[in-house]
Amino acid sequence: MGVHGVAAAGVRVRAARVDPLLADRVVEALLLVGLPVAHGGHGPGVHLFATGSADDAGGGTGTGTGADDPERWPLTLRWLCSARLEDAAAAAGAGSPWPRTRQVVADSLETALAELLPALGLSAVRGAPTGPTRVGAAGSATGPGLEQEQGPGLGLETGQEQEQGNAAGPVAAEVEAAVRRSAALAGLPLARHPRAAGVALAGCVPAPGAGPVVDVAWRPSPQLPATPLVSTAVREAMHHAIGSALTACGLRTSWHRPADSAPHLHATADH
């Protein structure tokens, strides 16, 4: 199971139950974003559990934020990486890079959750950089993101799709393999067809003298509401998160910042 979902020895925790209505809303939001849900704490994906429960032992986020208040923030979210990474981090000895790798991946995804869930009608907070993401219901019964009319899937933003369509060639096999390895280690799904959610790849023209390169982006579910509030929040939060997570798992990445469009995440294969 890895490091999440295991109560620390000797820590007394209160009995706590997950609010099923709140949990359903969070799961719906996660599926719209395209993130997997780690049901029962079996990853990879987002593990949901009650704040203050046995799963939450040792998950304090520091003082002064109120993020440990189970009345205000009854649900806690943690990112579970692949079983390979979770097990390697849990069994690592001194000097091993695996705990740090797992922590960077989890921090990246959990921060993204706190940033994008409010756009989908849920309150969310991270009380400390390495603390869990706490979730509470928003003021209305239906959130502003979920009640809007749903439009076509976002995938890559329109301008990026057009640029890639004009300049792109096929995705280099060695770069695709490198992305697959890093995504699998982090526990991130790959978008294997145009309407699938996950890490999406598109070919692009490399700089003169450089090796093969691809654009890497996050593609949400086609059912994600195509409103500016939601699309911007998901795009910015997830693109930052996957850049950090994939880099932590060994992928060579860089940001390409053209003057006439949004920044693109580029990936290259190791040589």
Side-chain angles (χ1 to χ4, degrees):
M1 175 181 281
V3 297
H4 296 325
V6 180
V11 177
R12 298 187 63 181
V13 296
R14 68 176 182 85
R17 297 180 60 188
V18 172
D19 177 350
L21 295 179
L22 178 58
D24 284 347
R25 291 187 59 200
V26 173
V27 169
E28 180 185 6
L30 294 174
L31 295 179
L32 288 173
V33 172
L35 287 169
V37 178
H39 293 288
H42 300 288
V46 181
H47 182 203
L48 290 70
F49 50 87
T51 300
S53 66
D55 286 327
D56 197 30
T61 58
T63 60
T65 65
D68 287 329
D69 182 0
E71 298 299 324
R72 184 179 179 187
W73 309 104
L75 194 61
T76 296
L77 309 182
R78 283 287 200 181
W79 178 260
L80 296 180
C81 304
S82 66
R84 177 188 173 194
L85 181 50
E86 292 286 350
D87 291 345
S96 169
W98 294 116
R100 174 61 179 168
T101 298
R102 192 213 61 79
Q103 189 65 53
V104 170
V105 173
D107 286 344
S108 300
L109 272 299
E110 289 164 18
T111 297
L113 293 173
E115 293 173 351
L116 63 85
L117 286 177
L120 289 162
L122 293 155
S123 296
V125 66
R126 249 193 132 197
T130 59
T133 298
R134 309 292 195 187
V135 178
S140 60
T142 58
L146 299 182
E147 67 188 4
Q148 297 286 342
E149 180 180 357
Q150 293 181 346
L154 299 175
L156 306 177
E157 287 299 294
T158 302
Q160 188 174 347
E161 287 182 317
Q162 291 174 347
E163 177 179 327
Q164 290 173 337
N166 292 335
V171 175
E174 62 268 38
V175 185
E176 180 178 4
V179 176
R180 287 178 179 273
R181 287 192 298 269
S182 294
L185 194 61
L188 291 165
L190 285 173
R192 300 183 183 277
H193 57 80
R195 291 186 61 80
V199 178
L201 306 181
C204 61
V205 177
V213 61
V214 299
D215 274 328
V216 181
W218 181 260
R219 180 181 296 144
S221 163
Q223 299 303 313
L224 183 76
T227 58
L229 172 66
V230 176
S231 63
T232 299
V234 171
R235 180 188 71 246
E236 293 185 354
M238 287 304 302
H239 284 183
H240 177 78
I242 64 172
S244 299
L246 295 178
T247 301
C249 290
L251 186 67
R252 294 178 57 195
T253 63
S254 62
W255 284 97
H256 176 55
R257 294 178 170 84
D260 57 349
S261 62
H264 305 170
L265 182 64
H266 282 182
T268 57
D270 291 325
H271 292 286

